[in-house]
Every structure is written in C-alpha cells, then in structure tokens.
C-alpha cells in the first residue's frame, strides 16, 4: 500500500476521533458531577479506541492494532502493518483540565515506523511525520533540531524523579534539574515528546512509558533528528513498558552518560 | 471613574498589546538567529510595557503604573489608581516555545484589586475578573472552586522546590509531591495562577514572585474563592518580592500547615 494513501486515511480518522472526543466531552460535562471521573474517562478512552478499531478494520482487516485499552487482538509480533494507538494520552488532564491531552498513533510496517501522529485535541494542533519526508506541526514543517548546550536546555521531567524513587538515583537528577535552564511538566507524555520534536523543550524523560506513548512520537522524532531510547541507551522496544528519553542529540548523550543511574 | 469603563479600556489595550506581540514575534522570528535571544525578549518586553504606559497615560495621566521593566515612575505607595503590569510573563517560554507566556495586568484603587487580567497571547485566551462581578475565561464565567481532598489535587510546583534549596525545607515538599495526584510546571507563574483559578490545578506555589506576577491573578482568584497568600500565610504584599501560593481553600490550609517549612 502507498504510504501516502494510508497517511490520508490516518489523518481522516484521527481528526474524526478528535471531533468525537470534543463532542462527547461537552455532553459529558453535564453529567460529570454525577459520574465517577475515572469511569468517565475510561468510557471515552474505550469509545475512541473502538472507533479506531472499527475504522481501521473496515479499511483493511489485515492491519493489526495495539491500543492502550487492549481492545484490539493480542499482538504476538510487529510483523505486517501495526497501528499502535493511545486514544487519550494525559488522562488526568483530560478529566481535570479538559485540555492538554492528545491522541497518539504510530503506524509500523514490519517493525519500522512509517507514520506518526500526536494530536492535541482541544488546541487542534497536529504533529505528524511520514518516514523520510519530514515532520510537521499542522502546515509548518518542523526544523531539524539544532545543537544546544545542556545549561541552556529546557527539560521535561516530573518532580518525583528528583525525589527518592524506585527507578533512578535521584541525587543525579537533582544535579540535572539545577544545572539546566528550566524544567517543565505537562502531564502528557506524548505532548512532551511533541514539544521536544518541535524544539520547545530539549529533552523529556519518563521512568515508565508504554508502546502507545512512544510509537507515534518516535516516528516524528526521527524526522527532526531527536534521539529516542530507553534510559540504558537501548533502542525503544515497542512490545513492553520501559524507561524512556527523547532529546536533542548532544543533550541525550550527556544526560544518559552523566545523569542517569538506574536502580 | 466607572469600573466598567476602565474595564473596557483595559480589555482594548491588552488585546492590542497581544496583537503587537504576535506581530513583532513573527517579524523577529526572521532575525532571531542573528540576534541575542535575551536582547530580543527584552526589546519586546520593553516595547510592550512602553505601549501600556503611553496608552494609560494618555487615557488618564493620574494613573500610576508599576511594571516589570520599571519604565513607569517610581511608585511610593498604592494610593490612587495603580496599574500593575507584566508585559510578558514566562520569558523563557516566549523565547524558546513561542507560546505559553502571558500579559498580566492588575488594576488597584487605593490598594484594593478592582480588575485583573491574564492574557495567554498565543492561544488568545483571556482570564479576567471585575471585583464583585465574577471571573471569566473568555465568555465563560468561572465557577467557584469546589472542595477537593489533597490526595486528588494537581499542584503546580517547580521540581527544584523538592530538591535542596535556600527557601524551603525540601523534605516536606517531597512528601507533598508524592502525596498529591500529580504535579505540573508550565514555566509561567501567571498561567499557573490562571490554571488554579479555573480549576485545572488546585494549587500553585513559588518561592519568589513579584507584584506584577500576582496583581492580576489575585483579583481573579478572589472571585472564584481561591486563596492567595505568601507561604507564611500572610496577605500578599504588592510592594515587594515574596513567596507565593494560590490554592483551593482547604488545600491552601493543609499545604501551609503541614508541608511548608520556610528556611
């Protein structure tokens, strides 16, 4: 299949899913005080994932789907065409802020990322990439990331990673947090990955991301020269949960070598 | 002077200032690689503050102006009508992200907050309040904040405050960061204050804010029942830099009593 044809189809259903979320969202707002907030988001997560599955399966039943809500079939390998989907990334923001959440989609062919999408639903901002053809924020082509010294960097890191935790030596993270120009935390992994891809941040790291958090962003990252890996500097594995970092190349190297001590 | 007349005038010049920033911003983008990024933002900060001063002084020369860039007259008291202005809050975001910054304006009459504005320039979102008449996000009236247990709270706190620092005992902040549902950090005090006012976060604190960071937000906070104070639980002082917290009332009390140990 032509990759541009699949891209057109992906664009269409992602935008439609976003529109459905925006609509269900304003309806749900009326009943939110009666409903359990966690149930609410689960329903919309699931409805959105089901929407993707139905659309994708009627488009081509041979496509495989790995989704956060686990509503596709069990996935035993990345062979063939695999859609890796997070229907709503940034669940807490979705419930509490009604913004700052995203739909994330990565389309892989035999394990190779071909198409990646991160859709900031409420701002109607679409970050996307086609392998080998560059990355975009809406109509604007994203520039290749430029080198930047670590002390001028803005890094996305949750405050808890600079406090005692079971994943990483926090003393080094304290050094990092103090050394860089600033830290940010948005509460949505995919939007923080998108921020690095478009140069608004220079690194983002997490101790536990899942394939659907990473799949779309990894394709976009690759097109702008951002480096993605786990915190051991191994290639991301799209079949399990793992640590994660995306960064400007030099900053990726420096953070991994000088600031990461995994437990 | 009728407060609604002053409100109409404030709205007009804030929106015009935002439009000027957006325009100068796209022009500057072309020359940014030649210019020093810090000079660039200083110019736009200053040009914006000067714009406010010119507009306000030609409207009523008796109005006093306290601005971040110090381009108004020295202010010896809060008597009379005082405009307290931050032309661009979130400087680093302005330079690096080209979004996530705000114009903040508070209008005080004999020290009493009458009008407050936080304008998210790139998203065209205006948070504002008229004393006694409620607070708004664009056309939508903001609801009074509802009680929420601390363990369900989202709090805005920079990672550095949970690490050794000269302002506050960080051990208690570590407890806080682990106890709450989540933390966020946006890099703009006024946008984080606005987030609390509209219920997207439940607390935001900082170790060093200036009057222009607080003045607009304090008026908005008051209209939705958010509590603002310094971290000793004293009323905010609009004549000096100080620690700061805005929060949902119960959460304000709990954080101050149980988690804040100033050095």
């Amino acid at each position: 299949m032509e990759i541009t044809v699949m891209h057109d189809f992906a664009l269409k259903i992602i935008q439609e899913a976003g529109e459905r979320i925006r609509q269900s969202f304003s309806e749900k707002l009326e009943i939110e005080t009666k409903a359990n907030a966690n149930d609410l988001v689960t329903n919309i997560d699931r409805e959105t994932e089901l929407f993707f599955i139905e659309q994708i399966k009627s488009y081509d039943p041979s496509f495989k789907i790995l989704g956060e809500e686990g509503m596709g079939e069990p996935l035993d390998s990345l062979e063939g065409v695999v859609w890796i989907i997070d229907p709503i990334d940034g669940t807490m923001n979705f419930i509490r802020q009604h913004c700052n959440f995203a739909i994330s989609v990565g389309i892989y062919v035999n394990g190779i990322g071909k198409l990646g999408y991160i859709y900031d639903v409420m701002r109607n901002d679409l970050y996307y990439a086609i392998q080998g053809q560059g990355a975009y924020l809406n109509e604007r082509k994203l520039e290749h990331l430029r080198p930047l010294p670590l002390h001028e960097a803005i890094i996305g890191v949750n405050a808890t990673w600079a406090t005692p935790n079971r994943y990483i030596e926090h003393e080094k993270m304290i050094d990092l947090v103090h050394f860089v120009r600033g830290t940010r935390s948005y509460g949505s992994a995919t939007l923080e990955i998108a921020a690095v891809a478009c140069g608004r941040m220079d690194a983002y790291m997490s101790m536990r991301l899942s394939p659907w958090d990473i799949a779309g962003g990894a394709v976009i990252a690759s097109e702008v020269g951002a480096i993605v890996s786990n915190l051991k500097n191994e290639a991301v594995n799209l079949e399990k949960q793992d640590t994660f970092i995306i960064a400007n190349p030099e900053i990726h190297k420096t953070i991994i070598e000088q600031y990461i001590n995994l437990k």
Side-chain angles (χ1 to χ4, degrees), chain A:
Chain A
M1 166 175 299
E2 277 293 328
I3 208 72
T4 52
V5 175
M6 190 138 66
H7 170 60
D8 290 341
F9 171 63
L11 267 186
K12 179 177 156 289
I13 62 173
I14 288 167
Q15 283 162 342
E16 204 169 319
E19 183 54 30
R20 290 166 63 97
I21 291 174
R22 285 189 293 264
Q23 279 177 13
S24 68
F25 194 63
S26 51
E27 286 162 27
K28 298 289 180 184
L29 274 180
E30 293 167 18
I31 58 160
E32 202 177 24
T33 49
K34 291 190 289 181
N36 174 302
N38 290 316
D39 284 346
L40 169 66
V41 73
T42 302
N43 290 345
I44 298 182
D45 276 342
R46 286 187 175 156
E47 284 169 26
T48 306
E49 186 160 317
L50 267 182
F51 168 79
F52 274 112
I53 292 170
E54 286 165 7
Q55 295 289 318
I56 295 164
K57 285 293 183 183
S58 33
Y59 186 81
D60 188 330
S62 79
F63 288 174
K64 295 192 281 186
I65 300 161
L66 174 64
E68 179 171 20
E69 306 310 323
M71 304 178 86
E73 320 99 304
L75 194 69
D76 47 15
S77 84
L78 290 174
E79 274 175 52
V81 177
V82 182
W83 290 58
I84 305 177
I85 296 172
D86 194 342
I88 297 181
D89 174 59
T91 304
M92 187 49 52
N93 289 348
F94 174 73
I95 302 174
R96 288 293 316 280
Q97 306 194 324
H98 304 172
C99 62
N100 300 327
F101 61 91
I103 295 171
S104 176
V105 174
I107 305 176
Y108 285 68
V109 178
N110 297 322
I112 308 293
K114 295 293 182 183
L115 296 163
Y117 306 86
I118 295 170
Y119 182 41
D120 182 335
V121 173
M122 300 309 287
R123 281 187 201 117
N124 196 23
D125 274 339
L126 181 71
Y127 305 81
Y128 72 93
I130 305 174
Q131 187 201 29
Q133 296 182 42
Y136 291 80
L137 165 51
N138 301 322
E139 298 78 27
R140 177 165 70 85
K141 187 161 188 176
L142 297 177
E143 290 174 28
H144 228 252
L145 299 182
R146 292 176 219 166
L148 186 87
L150 184 60
H151 70 270
E152 290 182 13
I154 298 177
I155 62 169
V157 57
N158 191 288
T160 53
W161 310 131
T163 71
N165 68 79
R166 62 193 156 116
Y167 297 95
I168 195 172
E169 298 288 351
H170 72 286
E171 299 293 354
K172 277 287 179 188
M173 291 304 290
I174 292 176
D175 293 344
L176 178 62
V177 160
H178 286 259
F179 185 71
V180 296
R181 181 152 287 170
T183 61
R184 300 287 183 271
S185 183
Y186 298 155
S188 157
T190 60
L191 290 179
E192 284 165 297
I193 291 168
V196 175
C198 70
R200 290 179 180 163
M201 297 204 295
D202 307 297
Y204 163 72
M205 69 190 78
S206 174
M207 300 308 137
R208 41 178 186 207
L209 288 191
S210 294
W212 40 84
D213 296 314
I214 300 169
V219 181
I220 301 171
S222 171
E223 293 298 314
V224 295
I227 309 297
V228 297
S229 72
N230 69 12
L231 289 173
K232 293 175 182 167
N233 203 15
E234 298 163 342
V236 295
N237 181 335
L238 291 175
E239 296 179 84
K240 65 174 181 131
Q241 195 178 62
D242 201 355
T243 59
F244 178 78
I245 180 170
I246 173 172
N248 198 306
E250 271 302 307
I251 285 171
H252 180 274
K253 183 168 152 48
T254 310
I255 289 178
I256 293 267
E257 287 178 1
Q258 295 180 26
Y259 293 97
I260 301 296
N261 286 329
L262 291 171
K263 283 182 178 171

